[in-house]
Amino acid sequence: MEEISFRTKIFIGEHALDRLNQIIAERIFIVTDPYIEKSGMTAEVTSRLQSKDNEYQIFSDIVPDPPIETVAAGVKVIQEFNPSVLIAIGGGSAIDAAKAMKDFAIRLSPQQKDMKFIAIPTTSGTGTEVTSFSVITDEVNHVKHPLVSDALLPDEAILDTHLVKSVPPTITADTGMDVLTHAIEAYVSTKANDFSDAFAEKAVQLIFDYLPRCYKDGNDLVAREKVHHASCLAGLAFNMVGLGINHSIAHVCGAQFHIPHGRMNALLLTPVIEYNAGLQGLTHQSFSAAAKKYAQLARVSGLPAANVRVGINSLIQHINQLKRELRMPTSLRACGLKKEQVISALAAISEAALKDGCTATNPRIPTNKEIETIVERLY
């Protein structure tokens, strides 16, 4: 028996931020980053909280790949301020950091468990506003630590398209490819079901149709909204059924090589599909379940898929074409790495990736050597 539930209330559409007008007489801890605060987006939140007997405090020390030390600093402020509402506004780093802060604050002070958590994403990528996952970084050991707990799920998510229209093209591409990776990995997860498949299929279709438009014209609010929704849909999908080695490897490589998470996922996506599909030498009668699902995903996306092999190749070619449209690097070399950097890190990468929680739901459980081969191919 499996249970499927969605705890997070999602507010969408024009003026979604006006949901904040309903918050009255609360102590509110706002977690964000310096850019979001300076850009005026934080003011979009605070302007809706003022004059309603609310008190708020802003913590804006969030940096990309939030380190443990930043989380600890936020926990300290929570203990001192004792908020009743936690609002995270920003990209995945801000929301992930806020999740970790809440989790550790509750462990230290159980009375904090009633603190309402509202997530407001300003990028369309992680889907973290609807997931029980968070990733924090150990900068000393160059390791990203995924946290997984239902306690990390936001109570509410606000998807306001106007907050993502100023995202630069490069970040639009990186985060959009993160969405695509979430959806595809959820689709072939060993725990995938009809419900997660529905979310994943829709997310893939929206990314294929609208991500290039967002990249070319950030003011295309229709495309922005569709990609923002795709991010949330993919988050709902993988929160139900998990991810795979694309993310396992990306977590480690991102920390080792300081490559943005979505970009690292994009580099890995087609090699991982090829590995999981395992087409080499197979007859038409012996395709794996994952191979058949990749072909089905091509089919529902309107790509040629006369048979399984054609479908998988169509999917791979379409993803590669998408990356070209988004002008994304196609190798670790193009990301500025030297070959000796990659080779010397292979053993540590494979060891950490095998231990990563995402590996358990990958359709194939790889060996150390297979992971090393995937990473080496990226150079």
Side-chain angles (χ1 to χ4, degrees), residues 58 86 90 100 123 143 158 200 228 234 238 257 260 263 293 297 330 350 352 359-360 369:
I58 298 174
L86 169 60
T123 60
V143 175
I158 298 175
H228 213 31
F238 84 74
F257 302 141
R263 195 173 305 170
K293 291 203 76 172
L297 194 54
T330 56
S350 65
T359 300
K369 182 60 179 175

Side-chain angles (χ1 to χ4, degrees), residues 171-368:
I171 297 177
T172 296
D174 289 344
T175 54
M177 290 303 295
D178 195 17
V179 176
L180 184 62
T181 308
H182 288 155
I184 291 176
E185 288 211 286
Y187 200 67
V188 297
S189 163
T190 56
K191 292 186 177 180
N193 56 54
D194 290 340
F195 297 87
S196 62
D197 282 358
F199 287 131
E201 285 178 1
K202 187 62 176 179
V204 169
Q205 291 168 12
L206 290 174
I207 289 297
F208 282 162
D209 289 344
Y210 292 100
L211 181 56
R213 283 175 53 176
C214 282
Y215 178 80
K216 292 170 185 173
D217 180 7
N219 291 313
D220 184 340
L221 290 184
V222 172
R224 286 289 193 191
E225 180 180 69
K226 296 298 186 183
V227 172
H228 213 31
H229 291 176
S231 176
C232 189
L233 288 166
L236 290 167
F238 84 74
N239 195 56
M240 269 192 274
V241 299
L243 292 164
I245 61 168
N246 205 124
H247 269 77
S248 301
I249 299 170
H251 287 151
V252 190
C253 287
Q256 284 274 350
F257 302 141
H258 305 290
I259 295 173
H261 177 66
R263 195 173 305 170
M264 192 66 233
N265 271 328
L267 285 171
L268 286 160
L269 187 52
T270 50
V272 167
I273 290 173
E274 291 172 355
Y275 169 77
N276 283 338
L279 291 183
Q280 292 82 0
L282 294 180
T283 69
H284 71 281
Q285 296 176 326
S286 55
F287 292 115
S288 66
K292 293 174 184 176
K293 291 203 76 172
Y294 286 132
Q296 173 63 11
L297 194 54
R299 195 171 295 113
V300 299
S301 299
L303 303 175
N307 57 49
V308 173
R309 192 180 295 273
V310 170
I312 294 169
N313 288 331
S314 293
L315 182 63
I316 288 171
Q317 289 171 17
H318 195 69
I319 292 169
N320 286 335
Q321 173 59 32
L322 176 61
K323 289 192 284 188
R324 285 192 290 271
E325 285 187 64
L326 302 178
R327 299 182 182 177
M328 302 195 76
T330 56
S331 68
L332 291 173
R333 183 191 300 106
C335 292
L337 296 178
K338 295 181 179 179
K339 190 164 188 178
E340 51 267 31
Q341 284 179 272
V342 178
I343 299 301
S344 63
L346 287 177
I349 289 169
S350 65
E351 193 64 34
L354 283 175
K355 294 176 181 176
D356 190 283
C358 296
T359 300
T361 46
N362 195 70
R364 287 180 70 182
I365 300 300
T367 64
N368 290 74

Side-chain angles (χ1 to χ4, degrees), residues 33-34 61-67 70 92-94 135 137 139 144 260:
D33 62 59
D61 294 341
I62 301 303
V63 295
D65 301 320
T70 299
S93 294
V135 179
T137 302
E139 291 187 320
K144 290 189 178 185

Side-chain angles (χ1 to χ4, degrees), residues 66-79 86 96-113 115 117 134-137 145-149 151-152:
I68 295 168
E69 292 77 10
T70 299
V71 173
V75 171
K76 184 178 179 182
V77 178
I78 288 175
Q79 290 179 306
L86 169 60
D96 277 7
K99 286 179 173 183
M101 289 174 191
K102 182 186 177 187
D103 189 43
F104 288 118
I106 291 172
R107 295 187 196 189
L108 294 170
S109 306
Q111 69 269 19
Q112 291 289 352
K113 66 181 176 60
M115 179 170 53
F117 182 17
S134 173
V135 179
I136 58 175
T137 302
H145 295 288
L147 308 176
V148 186
S149 169
L152 301 177

